[in-house]
Amino acid sequence: ASDMVWEFYSTADQIDVNPGAVNQMIFVAHNPTDKPMSAQAIPSITPAEAAAYFHKTECFCFTQQVLQPGERIEMPVRFIVDRDLPKDVKHLTLAYTLFDITARHPPVAHLTGQDLQGAR
């Protein structure tokens, strides 16, 4: 989203998909700020008629993501494309919009051992 400051990208521009098999893409997120942030990813598939044949089995979009200041993570997406995908569909595009939800769902900063001793 336009107000999201995280770096967010896939590690590959495209992959060859095997219909009926489990396929995987890796996405990377980096919080360049000095504060913990929460985010939610919303997926989209094009062409729209192909969405019914695309099934995510694991996705970072299923949950909110929390990144600490400077943290970078790799997030896998595992999916299956139905063998019944119409023959005229030769390319699918999986896209995500990443929204900053920090104001609505404030993250908790990681505490160090020293922080915990001071909290006692």
Side-chain angles (χ1 to χ4, degrees):
S2 61
D3 64 342
M4 178 48 108
V5 297
W6 287 9
E7 297 169 21
F8 178 66
Y9 56 91
S10 64
T11 58
D13 290 335
Q14 66 182 13
I15 62 169
D16 291 327
V17 171
N18 299 309
V22 176
N23 299 275
Q24 177 174 288
M25 290 269 318
I26 302 291
F27 287 80
V28 176
H30 173 240
N31 175 2
T33 73
D34 61 355
K35 63 183 188 231
M37 292 181 67
S38 302
Q40 180 69 55
I42 306 297
S44 64
I45 305 280
T46 55
E49 64 270 14
Y53 301 91
F54 188 91
H55 308 286
K56 292 182 294 300
T57 59
E58 179 182 334
C59 184
F60 57 90
C61 63
F62 294 160
T63 59
Q64 297 168 2
Q65 301 300 313
V66 174
L67 267 66
Q68 299 302 316
E71 185 177 11
R72 178 182 312 271
I73 60 170
E74 290 189 357
M75 305 176 295
V77 176
R78 290 189 181 91
F79 60 92
I80 299 169
V81 175
D82 282 349
R83 289 188 173 115
D84 297 333
L85 181 72
K87 299 294 182 211
D88 62 325
V89 176
K90 302 294 183 196
H91 296 90
L92 296 173
T93 300
L94 171 62
Y96 288 94
T97 303
L98 197 61
F99 292 93
D100 178 358
I101 60 169
T102 304
R104 287 180 281 147
H105 298 280
V108 176
H110 287 309
L111 296 177
T112 66
Q114 188 173 23
D115 293 334
L116 290 174
Q117 287 178 351
R120 290 183 184 158

